[in-house]
Amino acid sequence: MRAEFILLPVAAYLIGAIPFGFLIGKLNGVDIRKVGSGNIGATNVTRSVGKTAGKICFGCDFLKGLLPVLLTGLFLPQYPWLTLAVGLATLLGHIFPVYLKFKGGKGVATAAGVAMAMAPWPLLIGLAVWAGTFLATRYVSLASIVAAAVVPVLAVIFRLCGVGNPVSTSWITIGFLTLIALLAILRHIGNIARLLNGTENRFEKKKAQSEEK
C-alpha cells in the first residue's frame, strides 16, 4: 500500500478539522461555542461577530473542502477513490474536529467546497437554490437542507442528459454527493424539528446589519 493512500486522507481530516469559526470568534474576543446557537459555522459567526467575519468563515470552510479534493484529483487522477476518501475525510474533520473534542459544525460550507471540486455545475445550481430558498424564507437551515437534497438529484439529471465530465457524472460521484447530502441533513435534525414546530430562528436582515462590526 502506498503511503499517500493513508497520509492524504489523514491530512485532509486535519485540514477539515481546522475550526475557522472558532478561531475567528477568538480573534474578536468571542467564544462562538457559547453564544447564539453555539455552532462554529458561518451563520453563527455572522450573528455573533458580524457579516464580514461570517463571510470570511464561510470562505475558509469552503476552501478547506475544495482544495484538498481538487489537488488530489489533479495530481493523482488515476485513483478516483482516493479523491472521494479525501473529500469524506475533510468533511468529517469539519463535523468532528479533533481540535475541539470532536464537536464541530454542520458541514454545509465544507460540503459545498467538496462538491464544487467534484461536480461544479450541480453545486452552482444548488447554491442558486440555496440563495432563492433563503431569500424567500430567511431560514438558513431550510435553505441548506433544500440545497443539500437538490445537488445529488441535479448530478443524476446531468448524467442522464450527458452533461459534464466523466468524474462529475459517474455513479461513484453521485453516490458520494448523496452521502454528503445525507450527512448535512442529519446535522440539521434539530433545525428540522424547530422548523416543524415553528420555533426556528429566522435570519432577519435588520438584525444581521445591527450586528455588523
Side-chain angles (χ1 to χ4, degrees):
M1 181 180 291
R2 296 176 56 169
E4 56 263 40
F5 292 170
I6 296 175
L7 294 178
L8 286 178
V10 171
Y13 169 83
L14 294 175
I15 292 170
I18 298 173
F20 286 110
F22 174 77
L23 296 174
I24 291 169
K26 280 294 185 182
L27 288 174
N28 287 273
V30 176
D31 187 341
I32 201 68
R33 300 169 301 176
K34 298 179 180 179
V35 295
S37 66
N39 191 272
I40 65 169
T43 300
N44 197 36
V45 171
T46 300
R47 286 196 176 107
S48 304
V49 181
K51 287 174 66 177
T52 299
K55 290 176 181 177
I56 293 172
C57 179
F58 181 91
C60 289
D61 285 345
F62 180 86
L63 287 175
K64 75 180 183 183
L66 173 71
L67 294 179
V69 178
L70 201 62
L71 292 174
T72 303
L74 180 64
F75 290 105
L76 294 167
Q78 68 272 37
Y79 301 114
W81 65 267
L82 184 59
T83 301
L84 298 178
V86 164
L88 182 59
T90 306
L91 182 58
L92 291 176
H94 178 82
I95 297 174
F96 306 109
V98 64
Y99 312 122
L100 295 180
K101 299 180 179 179
F102 305 102
K103 296 179 180 179
K106 295 179 178 178
V108 174
T110 302
V114 172
M116 176 64 83
M118 298 179 65
W121 286 112
L123 189 277
L124 288 172
I125 297 173
L127 289 176
V129 170
W130 184 97
T133 304
F134 172 69
L135 291 173
T137 67
R138 308 303 296 184
Y139 287 121
V140 174
S141 58
L142 180 60
S144 300
I145 293 165
V146 172
V150 161
V151 169
V153 174
L154 289 169
V156 172
I157 294 172
F158 272 69
R159 176 187 170 85
L160 295 177
C161 294
V163 178
N165 59 53
V167 173
S168 66
T169 58
S170 73
W171 284 117
I172 294 176
T173 297
I174 291 170
F176 183 76
L177 293 175
T178 302
L179 175 61
I180 61 177
L182 288 173
L183 283 173
I185 292 170
L186 286 173
R187 291 292 290 175
H188 284 84
I189 289 295
N191 302 89
I192 292 171
R194 290 191 292 273
L195 285 166
L196 291 174
N197 62 31
T199 58
E200 177 74 337
N201 291 326
R202 289 178 184 269
F203 198 92
E204 300 296 347
K205 187 174 182 180
K206 290 183 179 180
K207 183 179 179 181
Q209 290 176 339
S210 69
E211 289 175 340
E212 174 66 19
K213 293 186 178 181

